[in-house]
Amino acid sequence: MRTLREIKKIYENKEANVKEVVESYLEKIKEWEPYINAFLHIPYEDIEKQIKELESKSPNLPLYGIPIAIKDNILTKNIKTTCASKILENFIPPYDATVVKRLKENGAIIIGKTNLDEFAMGSSCENSAFGPTKNPWDIERVPGGSSGGSAACVSAGEAPISLGSDTGGSIRLPASFTGVIGLKPTYGLVSRFGLVAFASSLDQIGPFGRTVEDIAITLQIIAGHDPMDSTSSPYEIPNYLEGLGKSVKNWRVGIPKELWYKGVSEEVLKTLENSFGVFKEMGVTIEEISLPSLEYALPVYYIISTSEASSNLARYDGVKYGYRDFTAEDLISMYKQTRGKGFGSEVKRRIILGTYALSAGYYDAYYLKATKVRRLIRIEFEEAFKKVDIIASPTSPVLPFKLGERISDPLQMYLTDIMTIPVNLAGIPAISMPAGFYNNLPVGIQFMSSFFTEDKLLQFAYAYQQFVDFSKKYPTLPNKERV
Ligand code: GLN
């Protein structure tokens, strides 16, 4: 249960070796997993191999001997990658995603694959085919989704850092619900090669951690151009650690009236009230701004993301890889039965919606129109960032809710992402920081900044964490009786 800097110190002072540090996390996993189910698999044999391979590497590598958990929609060579779907239940990728490759090259140890909503579709982690992850702060509540496992494992201290993916909020929402930090980088900053595609124009990989410094260290490794991803940006990557600790005095913070108050629960607003006092202490100025087209963000997102999903998920047909239904008598029924049995109901709902939105006669009315409104949303953010440096909002309109509470009402579930979705549509970066607790349940605040200004965003978040720091606050292990 340490920061990366603290783990580094342990190695420098020779207080423990990599095996011992990794084992201390595996111990935590053993303690917590019966309660929270954050992991889908722990590759014990592969971990041994990774530790062995590290022996020949330099201890000065930035992530030397750092255990990291990876969302199970990011490919890991020789380690099962299921997307929490039955259709990929036994899929073992033949190669590593670029982010995984970079982490390993920099000394990290992949300690496990984390649970998610099937194919990253959901906001609660309940859509996993392998059972939900639970919130370590209250195991009757959801950890948020879709990267619920990656968030919960950092929250419980099972891993110091992890990776998730964020298409409409899947890093920031669970970060908020579990009291940790989660960053969604600018679209194109981090390679998507080896991330199982959900909605390709929105998907981004990003880190979870407990301190802004840990987030910056991890981002530094995973960001940067990748020739294997044609949407990856060719820009040079700044040093994300340089700005940490520098003053943000007189920075302008925009408060969009569309994202505060309306539709936000009393509990969340009450908990975030003190943020304005914190902003004052940070020496920044607060300006109310307006982003009127955000009203359309949710419908636009659910047209674009389902359309892209319907196309991306066409590849799971029982022929190339993954599950195949062998009881079928001919090819067409093999397709039907494989997809019918392999996908869960939320995934099917998205495929049906997306196929409809893209079908002849409806394409112009739905998909094309949605892409135009998306453009307007992006322009509105661009205009806003001419006036302010940072935009702040709650990360979620509600507290972590109970398991089962929203699962039967997709619209209620979709509304959980109302604060995070506009960011993906625009393509800008955003971070969720733990801002306070309400009845021992975490509440997050979201900071957004302009395209490719993660350096500024992290500088701001770091300054904020000097005043509001929950990096050492951990949930306590539930009593055995409560299970
Ligand atoms: N909850 C949103 C959805 O279900 C976002 C998911 C995500 O970011 N992967 O689509």
Side-chain angles (χ1 to χ4, degrees):
M1 307 222 291
R2 302 173 195 97
T3 63
L4 301 195
R5 186 193 284 265
E6 286 162 354
I7 300 177
K8 220 174 175 45
K9 267 249 139 62
I10 290 178
Y11 291 143
E12 273 165 17
N13 299 341
K14 303 221 171 347
E15 286 164 40
N17 60 26
V18 176
K19 197 172 160 57
E20 287 160 344
V21 167
V22 170
E23 267 165 11
S24 71
Y25 283 97
L26 292 175
E27 209 42 54
K28 272 267 166 283
I29 289 174
K30 221 177 255 157
E31 267 172 36
W32 271 96
E33 277 308 285
Y35 301 101
I36 60 172
N37 193 34
F39 285 92
L40 290 177
H41 5 271
I42 309 286
Y44 289 101
E45 269 178 38
D46 201 86
I47 293 173
E48 299 259 329
K49 235 172 61 199
Q50 293 181 61
I51 296 174
K52 266 236 129 53
E53 275 165 25
L54 208 56
E55 281 170 8
S56 60
K57 291 194 182 160
S58 160
N60 296 326
L61 288 170
L63 294 179
Y64 180 85
I66 302 292
I68 179 164
I70 306 282
K71 186 176 181 180
D72 207 28
N73 62 349
I74 299 175
L75 302 190
T76 40
K77 189 177 173 174
N78 299 335
I79 303 174
K80 225 161 56 162
T81 300
T82 67
C83 292
S85 180
K86 276 206 208 128
I87 214 153
L88 287 177
E89 192 166 3
N90 298 310
F91 177 62
I92 298 177
Y95 62 93
D96 277 328
T98 297
V99 288
V100 171
K101 195 165 145 255
R102 289 191 183 173
L103 290 168
K104 282 184 179 167
E105 283 168 1
N106 284 283
I109 306 277
I110 313 297
I111 55 159
K113 301 298 298 287
T114 59
N115 202 3
L116 64 152
D117 287 294
E118 186 177 1
F119 284 102
M121 297 174 185
S123 312
S124 66
C125 220
E126 290 167 291
N127 292 335
S128 168
F130 309 116
T133 294
K134 292 166 190 166
N135 194 319
W137 291 96
D138 177 352
I139 55 170
E140 286 175 10
R141 291 176 191 268
V142 302
S146 65
S147 317
S150 289
C153 74
V154 172
S155 170
E158 294 175 315
I161 47 170
S162 65
L163 290 190
S165 68
D166 191 314
T167 307
S170 278
I171 292 175
R172 290 157 289 153
L173 183 74
S176 169
F177 276 14
T178 60
V180 299
I181 307 175
L183 170 75
K184 193 231 47 112
T186 306
Y187 182 79
L189 184 75
V190 177
S191 168
R192 290 184 297 110
F193 182 69
L195 167 67
V196 177
F198 161 12
S200 311
S201 77
L202 298 156
D203 299 339
Q204 258 302 279
I205 294 174
F208 288 92
R210 309 189 67 94
T211 65
V212 174
E213 186 182 63
D214 288 358
I215 296 284
I217 293 170
T218 314
L219 184 66
Q220 198 73 53
I221 305 299
I222 61 173
H225 183 65
D226 177 13
M228 300 301 280
D229 173 3
S230 62
T231 61
S232 124
S233 153
Y235 294 138
E236 194 151 327
I237 301 304
N239 183 334
Y240 294 119
L241 288 156
E242 235 162 42
L244 307 189
K246 290 201 179 135
S247 166
V248 294
K249 211 168 154 77
N250 297 327
W251 283 29
R252 295 153 304 169
V253 177
I255 303 293
K257 57 175 194 260
E258 291 81 6
L259 294 181
W260 288 85
Y261 315 115
K262 205 183 120 199
V264 184
S265 74
E266 282 289 306
E267 297 92 335
V268 170
L269 282 180
K270 226 178 143 68
T271 316
L272 293 182
E273 246 169 30
N274 74 329
S275 311
F276 294 95
V278 173
F279 292 153
K280 271 215 179 84
E281 290 188 69
M282 290 164 72
V284 302
T285 59
I286 298 166
E287 286 174 37
E288 190 175 283
I289 59 167
S290 177
L291 300 162
S293 60
L294 291 201
E295 189 186 332
Y296 306 108
L298 209 64
V300 164
Y301 171 83
Y302 276 98
I303 290 170
I304 291 176
S305 66
T306 56
S307 297
E308 293 184 17
S310 74
S311 160
N312 276 327
L313 272 62
R315 72 190 71 169
Y316 307 103
D317 56 6
V319 176
K320 299 176 200 76
Y321 41 68
Y323 170 75
R324 172 187 291 193
D325 186 83
F326 283 102
T327 64
E329 283 173 359
D330 55 45
L331 184 65
I332 298 296
S333 46
M334 191 281 283
Y335 288 152
K336 284 186 182 163
Q337 282 168 218
T338 295
R339 289 169 68 81
K341 291 180 191 168
F343 290 134
S345 56
E346 182 60 29
V347 174
K348 284 183 206 159
R349 181 173 11 251
R350 308 260 179 139
I351 294 173
I352 292 167
L353 274 171
T355 307
Y356 180 78
L358 289 179
S359 59
Y362 294 106
Y363 178 90
D364 288 359
Y366 294 114
Y367 182 74
L368 201 62
K369 197 166 210 163
T371 59
K372 288 178 181 168
V373 182
R374 176 183 191 177
R375 184 79 197 161
L376 291 179
I377 292 171
R378 183 187 166 122
I379 291 170
E380 248 173 52
F381 272 109
E382 278 170 353
E383 287 302 314
F385 284 120
K386 287 181 186 156
K387 290 186 239 129
V388 297
D389 301 286
I390 298 287
I391 295 177
S393 79
T395 307
S396 159
V398 290
L399 292 174
F401 43 89
K402 292 231 162 111
L403 284 137
E405 204 176 294
R406 293 191 165 206
I407 194 76
S408 53
D409 185 348
L411 210 56
Q412 275 303 313
M413 191 67 92
Y414 296 173
L415 278 166
T416 323
D417 298 303
I418 195 116
M419 310 286 175
T420 50
I421 276 174
V423 165
N424 302 73
L425 291 172
I428 56 173
I431 193 166
S432 178
M433 300 287 299
F437 282 76
Y438 187 93
N439 281 348
N440 211 34
L441 292 173
V443 175
I445 189 164
Q446 174 178 236
F447 301 134
M448 307 160 230
S449 72
S450 190
F451 300 95
F452 298 107
T453 58
E454 278 77 3
D455 47 350
K456 266 180 81 174
L457 185 61
L458 292 168
Q459 182 178 338
F460 185 84
Y462 187 91
Y464 176 84
Q465 198 172 32
Q466 301 317 300
F467 292 96
V468 184
D469 186 1
F470 292 110
S471 61
K472 295 284 177 205
K473 188 173 160 84
Y474 285 88
T476 46
L477 200 65
N479 310 325
K480 287 223 162 37
E481 296 87 74
R482 283 185 60 194
V483 174

